[in-house]
Amino acid sequence: MKSALVIRHVPYEGIAGFRAPVEAAGYVIDRVDVTDPDFAQVDFDTPDLVVMMGGPMGVYETNRYPWLGCEIARLARRIMLDRPTLGVCLGSQVIAAAMGARVYAGPVKEVGFAPVTIHDAGLASPLRHIEGVPVLHWHGDTFDLPERAELLASSDAYPHQVFRRGDNILALQCHSEMGEDPRFDAWLEDEPYIHAAGRTVEELRGEHDRHGPVAVAAGRRMIADWLDRLDP
């Protein structure tokens, strides 16, 4: 059996809807939290797949979150080895940093369900499965496009939404794994962040109910397609 390591930055941002396609592709999933005492010793090189999930922290907040520097350094080695790696939101920003790109606070907080604009390169990639599908956005940071990376999608607020390097490295700023996970209730508890984005809890709950199942189904197809194209 193949091994998949899910790196979780906060308890309420897990693999969610991506679990099904990862397991269907024959991976046995293990998980490590960045708060685990042994996180600093976790081997990033060995797993057949590493999935970096989201979180509210910024990649540049290394003084506040001292584990970030160690995480980025180990991920940089994995990317150098071209080992299959998927990043979601904060995970995508960590991948960008590990590839030498700048990560920084963006101009607005992008929160809620909306489709991304898929570029020509994205339409020929697994990203084609989410074309026109409202997916969840929940971030206020962004990144420069790393060297040797190919931009696949943008949004009105953020030009760098999705990028890849070859077949094995995929970074998603949007949360196409979310839409059916009950832990979304924990996201809605951060009312100051929601209000700062100009949204309300009621709006977001309604969007989640309307768009969530379709978003997750499309996200699962995307990840299944991506896993099928990996170069081991």
Side-chain angles (χ1 to χ4, degrees), residues 99 144-152 163-166 169:
M99 293 176 67
D144 294 336
L145 190 66
E147 290 186 14
R148 299 175 55 207
E150 182 178 30
L151 183 64
L152 302 181
F163 70 84
R164 69 178 175 184
R165 196 193 73 182
I169 312 297

Side-chain angles (χ1 to χ4, degrees), residues 20-200:
V22 170
E23 290 183 336
Y27 292 87
V28 174
I29 296 175
D30 192 14
R31 188 197 76 214
V32 62
D33 286 356
V34 296
T35 54
D36 289 350
D38 61 346
F39 178 67
Q41 283 73 51
V42 171
D43 178 11
F44 279 33
D45 294 354
T46 302
D48 296 298
L49 172 67
V50 164
V51 182
M52 311 277 298
M53 297 309 302
M57 53 285 296
V59 166
Y60 43 80
E61 296 181 293
T62 51
N63 289 336
R64 186 174 180 185
Y65 304 103
W67 46 263
L68 269 166
C70 181
E71 180 180 66
I72 292 168
R74 282 177 292 170
L75 189 62
R77 173 176 167 80
R78 181 176 177 87
I79 292 171
M80 179 189 68
L81 297 171
D82 197 32
R83 300 283 283 150
T85 306
L86 171 66
V88 178
C89 202
L90 174 62
S92 72
Q93 297 159 11
V94 174
I95 288 176
M99 293 176 67
R102 183 173 65 109
V103 181
Y104 50 96
V108 296
K109 290 177 171 55
E110 188 174 38
V111 174
F113 281 80
V116 293
T117 300
I118 313 290
H119 302 309
D120 288 345
L123 292 173
S125 79
L127 219 67
R128 62 193 175 91
H129 296 284
I130 66 168
E131 184 185 12
V133 177
V135 293
L136 180 63
H137 303 265
W138 201 288
H139 71 102
D141 286 353
T142 189
F143 44 76
D144 294 336
L145 190 66
E147 290 186 14
R148 299 175 55 207
E150 182 178 30
L151 183 64
L152 302 181
S154 304
S155 70
D156 291 342
Y158 286 96
H160 298 157
Q161 277 285 346
V162 182
F163 70 84
R164 69 178 175 184
R165 196 193 73 182
D167 289 329
N168 285 359
I169 312 297
L170 180 63
L172 305 164
Q173 181 81 281
C174 54
H175 287 276
S176 48
E177 82 284 5
M178 291 298 292
E180 296 180 337
D181 193 323
R183 288 174 291 188
F184 185 63
D185 286 341
W187 299 41
L188 296 178
E189 292 176 4
D190 191 355
E191 293 193 39
Y193 192 89
I194 291 168
H195 293 158
R199 307 302 308 274
T200 68

